[in-house]
Amino acid sequence: MRLLLVEDHVPLADELVAGLGKQGYAVDWLADGRDAAYQGATEPYDLIILDLGLPGRPGLEVLQEWRAAGQATPVLILTARGSWAERIDGLKAGADDYLTKPFHPEELTLRIQALLRRAHGLANQPQLEAAGLQLDEARQCVALDGQTIELTAAEFRLLRYFMLHAGQILSKGQLAEHLYDGETERDSNVLEVHVNRLRGKLGREVIETRRGQGYRFSGVAG
Ligand code: CA
């Protein structure tokens, strides 16, 4: 999953970029509201974390502009402590959730996971499940028939994306765009290698190749 982080407080941004990276998210970081308005409207993010107090343009205005343009990406806003007015304005402008600074990194993680499940119609799942697999996002492993299967960081990233899009045909281009940040070189051969390793661990039938179209992660269990 690829996230946009808009935060002008550099120490916090550094900490969040590092922490989210360890959790298998590809993160693009911006500090300026004008840059965020443009990039958030043009790049295919899965979720946006938006600070409201920004140089360039206020975060609230940026969010209003995205929503007015039909941009439906989940947005989690970061607000100042004690500012209920900011939270209310943010929610009215179309934010999906908020966190008040300072916050515990684990709270951000759990809110991101929940927002992503909700955005993919899986709000009822306390943990990500598809095709008989249960993904443990904290430990980055997967359970199948009561057995725990360890995953590499790259396999975990890929499997999480597949599980959130079970049953859908995903092109290699789409996968590359959503698994890697804007700075990473996107090599479709590398993607193929990881797909084959996941098949080796989970069973060949779990990920189907659609010639000329891409891959389809098995939607239905059994
Ligand atoms: Ca700020």
Side-chain angles (χ1 to χ4, degrees), residues 120 161-162 164-170 174 215-219:
H120 291 86
Y161 194 82
F162 273 135
L164 281 166
H165 297 84
Q168 298 175 26
I169 295 172
L170 304 168
Q174 182 181 347
Y215 299 107
R216 184 178 168 278
F217 182 80
S218 161

Side-chain angles (χ1 to χ4, degrees), residues 44-116:
Y45 292 109
D46 296 294
L47 183 138
I48 298 172
I49 301 165
L50 179 69
D51 181 34
L52 293 185
L54 292 171
R57 279 181 78 183
L60 194 66
E61 197 183 295
V62 173
L63 176 58
Q64 283 165 336
E65 186 176 288
W66 287 335
R67 293 309 190 219
Q71 157 78 280
T73 309
V75 173
L76 185 151
I77 52 172
L78 303 178
T79 67
R81 182 151 73 176
S83 178
W84 56 267
E86 227 180 50
R87 294 197 290 278
I88 289 173
D89 288 345
L91 292 168
K92 278 187 179 165
D96 298 274
D97 201 356
Y98 66 84
L99 261 182
T100 303
K101 292 178 183 179
F103 52 83
H104 194 284
E106 193 180 357
E107 187 174 2
L108 176 63
T109 299
L110 294 172
R111 285 179 188 270
I112 290 172
Q113 291 172 3
L115 279 175
L116 289 172

